[in-house]
Amino acid sequence: MSQKSILTGDRPTGPLHLGHFVGSLKNRVALQHEYKTFVLIADGQALTDNFEDPKRVRDNIVEVVLDYLAVGIDPTISTIVLQTAVSEIQELAFFLANMTTVGRLSRNPTLKAEIQQRGFGDTIPAGFFFYPISQAADITAFRADLVPVGEDQKPMIELTNEIVDRFNRIYNSTALKRCEALIPPVGRLPGTDGKEKMSKSLGNAIFLGDSEKELKKKVQNMFTDPKHLRVEDPGTVEGNPVFTYLQIFDPDQTSLRDMEDHYRRGGLGDGVVKKRLEGVLIDILKPIREGRERFAADRGEILNIIRHGTNKGREVAAQVLADVKNAIGISII
Ligand code: TRP
């Protein structure tokens, strides 16, 4: 049996943060040794809600690749692909669009939430509305078996499989491959403000490239238990993001349990807990930041990595597109 494939992607709208790190980057780094891995920089998808600011997207392509390399995505075994440079993906999306409905897209919970967040009201850009189809093309173009993503991307994977099934049934073909979402066991990382999700646009993110100074400031300003006013007061650990982060990142979970008990009883100040988190995060982020700086010194090399990966990815996507056209039987010339 041939080696299974993985496809993941990110919108290059800003540098990546700790939420990406726990949500999917760590997973990808581990999996790249076992699976044929494609990592897609979804610049076209990023453009669907940034079309008035293409510079933002363009400038962040290299930033995101720096994050990839710094966390350990190895370009000699993983293929880094730039979405808009593979026109086969866009062409594939055109055919896949026939396999779903406007109603189905309107009910996609992730798309719905994003439309709400962006305040589109009843002026939703058609390109944005279309992006789940384009994402189905991203995934099927690389014949991905597995798609490591955060929980919020599950509806996109479901839609992809619906499209695949429908296509293969209607055209009695095996041109498209079904895929499976690979959701990390740790829940979604909350923001430093305690909100459900860490995100650049909410201003509650710790970036992989943050300086030590920025990191310390962000940790010191983190939301804790608002009822824990004085050191002697008993505190709440649940929903307190400082503890949530420690539960995810601290290598010494045994002594963390003692600290949690102490916090619950009272007599432990937030400053002490934050200090511990600061140390833990510095240990994780320092090598990443240094790696990032090292790679950033040679921009030409980064562009070569993207070029090389894109060319390689394109060969796979072109084959899938040819299979799809054959299955439909549309090409007569
Ligand atoms: N929509 C994904 C996100 O917002 C990014 C993405 C684009 C993606 N294409 C993909 C994820 C393909 C997985 C597979 O994070």
Side-chain angles (χ1 to χ4, degrees):
M1 208 180 75
S2 71
Q3 197 186 21
K4 292 208 166 188
S5 300
I6 279 189
L7 179 277
T8 50
D10 296 287
R11 297 175 186 166
T13 51
L16 302 181
H17 53 62
L18 274 179
H20 296 111
F21 184 68
V22 291
S24 81
L25 292 175
K26 259 173 86 170
N27 226 346
R28 296 181 200 174
V29 173
L31 294 168
Q32 66 182 341
H33 302 283
E34 256 177 87
Y35 297 90
K36 192 167 171 183
T37 299
F38 296 93
V39 187
L40 186 76
I41 309 167
D43 57 340
Q45 187 178 119
L47 209 56
T48 62
D49 62 337
N50 286 281
F51 52 86
E52 287 171 313
D53 190 7
K55 186 176 183 300
R56 175 175 179 200
V57 177
R58 192 187 58 227
D59 290 351
N60 279 303
I61 294 170
V62 167
E63 292 303 310
V64 167
V65 175
L66 288 174
D67 286 326
Y68 288 161
L69 300 176
V71 297
I73 289 178
D74 177 350
T76 64
I77 51 177
S78 286
T79 307
I80 299 176
V81 181
L82 186 62
Q83 188 188 38
T84 55
V86 181
S87 50
E88 287 83 355
I89 299 175
Q90 283 68 258
E91 210 177 322
L92 185 59
F94 176 76
F95 293 115
L96 299 191
N98 296 332
M99 300 297 118
T100 192
T101 64
V102 170
R104 190 72 189 86
L105 289 173
S106 345
R107 289 190 294 275
N108 183 308
T110 300
L111 188 66
K112 258 166 87 174
E114 287 172 328
I115 287 169
Q116 186 106 43
Q117 268 167 28
R118 287 159 180 73
F120 285 142
D122 50 12
T123 56
I124 308 164
F128 190 80
F129 194 70
F130 184 86
Y131 98 70
I133 297 173
S134 147
Q135 188 160 330
D138 296 341
I139 296 169
T140 51
F142 298 100
R143 298 192 204 282
D145 297 284
L146 290 179
V147 188
V149 279
E151 187 76 34
D152 65 315
Q153 293 296 304
K154 240 173 142 173
M156 304 301 170
I157 311 300
E158 280 164 18
L159 177 72
T160 302
N161 283 330
E162 280 175 26
I163 289 177
V164 167
D165 290 344
R166 191 135 192 244
F167 184 95
N168 288 341
R169 186 167 41 78
I170 291 177
Y171 301 114
N172 190 21
S173 88
T174 51
L176 298 177
K177 198 173 202 175
R178 291 190 118 250
C179 63
E180 217 178 292
L182 202 66
I183 313 236
V186 287
R188 152 190 287 186
L189 192 72
T192 52
D193 56 0
K195 289 213 184 103
E196 197 188 335
K197 187 181 177 183
M198 178 175 281
S199 115
K200 182 184 160 72
S201 52
L202 295 174
N204 63 6
I206 293 176
F207 295 102
L208 299 178
D210 274 351
S211 68
E212 209 162 295
K213 206 172 137 201
E214 281 164 314
L215 172 66
K216 284 183 177 168
K217 204 170 112 198
K218 287 180 180 177
V219 172
Q220 288 319 312
N221 291 332
M222 269 180 83
F223 176 83
T224 60
D225 171 8
K227 293 209 233 15
H228 185 242
L229 296 173
R230 289 166 308 162
V231 174
E232 314 86 76
D233 293 339
T236 306
V237 166
E238 288 67 33
N240 181 330
V242 181
F243 280 105
T244 309
Y245 287 15
L246 283 167
Q247 287 155 5
I248 294 174
F249 298 109
D250 197 322
D252 185 359
Q253 292 289 313
T254 313
S255 87
L256 177 62
R257 291 290 99 78
D258 294 339
M259 191 176 225
E260 289 174 352
D261 290 341
H262 190 178
Y263 192 78
R264 286 193 181 98
R265 281 197 308 273
L268 181 63
D270 285 313
V272 179
V273 191
K274 286 180 170 175
K275 201 78 205 158
R276 174 170 175 147
L277 177 60
E278 198 182 283
V280 166
L281 291 183
I282 286 174
D283 285 350
I284 294 175
L285 291 178
K286 194 166 180 247
I288 297 179
R289 185 176 54 246
E290 287 172 355
R292 219 178 177 284
E293 282 160 11
R294 215 169 347 102
F295 289 114
D298 192 352
R299 188 182 160 89
E301 179 55 20
I302 302 292
L303 297 181
N304 277 335
I305 288 171
I306 302 174
R307 223 172 269 131
H308 177 75
T310 300
N311 288 338
K312 225 172 117 189
R314 178 162 220 176
E315 287 174 25
V316 182
Q319 187 56 57
V320 172
L321 179 64
D323 292 350
V324 157
K325 283 184 171 175
N326 269 331
I328 302 173
I330 195 83
S331 311
I332 65 157
I333 50 166

